[in-house]
Amino acid sequence: MEIPKELYYTQDHEWGSVEDGMMRVGITDYAQHELGDIVFVEFPEVGTVIAKGDPIGTVESVKAVSEDYAPVDGEIVEVNEALADTPELVNQDCYGSAWMVVLKISDPSQVDTLMDAQAYRAYVEAEAK
């Protein structure tokens, strides 16, 4: 299971990378593996203001439909349109080309509440037991 060190993680298995007050968000390798083959991805519109924990999209696989949640408060400034045509990218490159949305962070202190790679690995391993 891949868990990049430079990212932040949530208990709902989203990852976030922070740069210049923005957070790029996707689902983790663990999440895509648990879901199986992704067949559909849906997002809210650009400009939508969301609170931490609000849904920021839906991922549908052959096994299940899953909501993705905002790791922080923010405004959606970009969505990954490529996933509409090629949702399977989530299975192939969940930490790269298959990011889901970019949020303009409203409260930067919320980033400190997220897990680092080491904490996320421990969380996943405990959850798997």
Side-chain angles (χ1 to χ4, degrees), residues 102-122:
V102 176
L103 303 172
K104 182 177 181 188
I105 300 170
S106 301
D107 180 358
S109 70
Q110 289 181 332
V111 174
D112 297 334
T113 68
L114 302 173
M115 290 181 275
D116 64 13
Q118 184 177 355
Y120 180 67
R121 181 175 298 282

Side-chain angles (χ1 to χ4, degrees), residues 2-21:
E2 185 183 359
I3 303 176
K5 289 182 173 40
E6 69 278 7
L7 302 177
Y8 297 93
Y9 299 91
T10 71
Q11 291 183 346
D12 295 312
H13 307 289
E14 285 87 22
W15 61 263
S17 65
V18 178
E19 187 176 336
D20 298 330

Side-chain angles (χ1 to χ4, degrees), residues 2-95:
E2 185 183 359
I3 303 176
K5 289 182 173 40
E6 69 278 7
L7 302 177
Y8 297 93
Y9 299 91
T10 71
Q11 291 183 346
D12 295 312
H13 307 289
E14 285 87 22
W15 61 263
S17 65
V18 178
E19 187 176 336
D20 298 330
M22 303 288 181
M23 179 178 280
R24 187 173 305 269
V25 180
I27 67 169
T28 65
D29 188 38
Y30 176 83
Q32 72 80 20
H33 181 75
E34 289 295 303
L35 284 167
D37 293 337
I38 307 297
V39 295
F40 181 74
V41 180
E42 185 177 45
F43 311 108
E45 292 182 19
V46 169
T48 302
V49 175
I50 49 149
K52 180 178 180 174
D54 282 356
I56 55 167
T58 305
V59 176
E60 187 175 330
S61 74
V62 294
K63 289 185 187 177
V65 175
S66 175
E67 294 267 44
D68 297 320
Y69 302 98
V72 295
D73 294 349
E75 177 185 346
I76 295 176
V77 296
E78 192 177 351
V79 297
N80 190 346
E81 300 285 352
L83 295 181
D85 296 326
T86 52
E88 63 274 10
L89 281 175
V90 175
N91 297 115
Q92 297 163 5
D93 190 19
C94 65
Y95 296 117

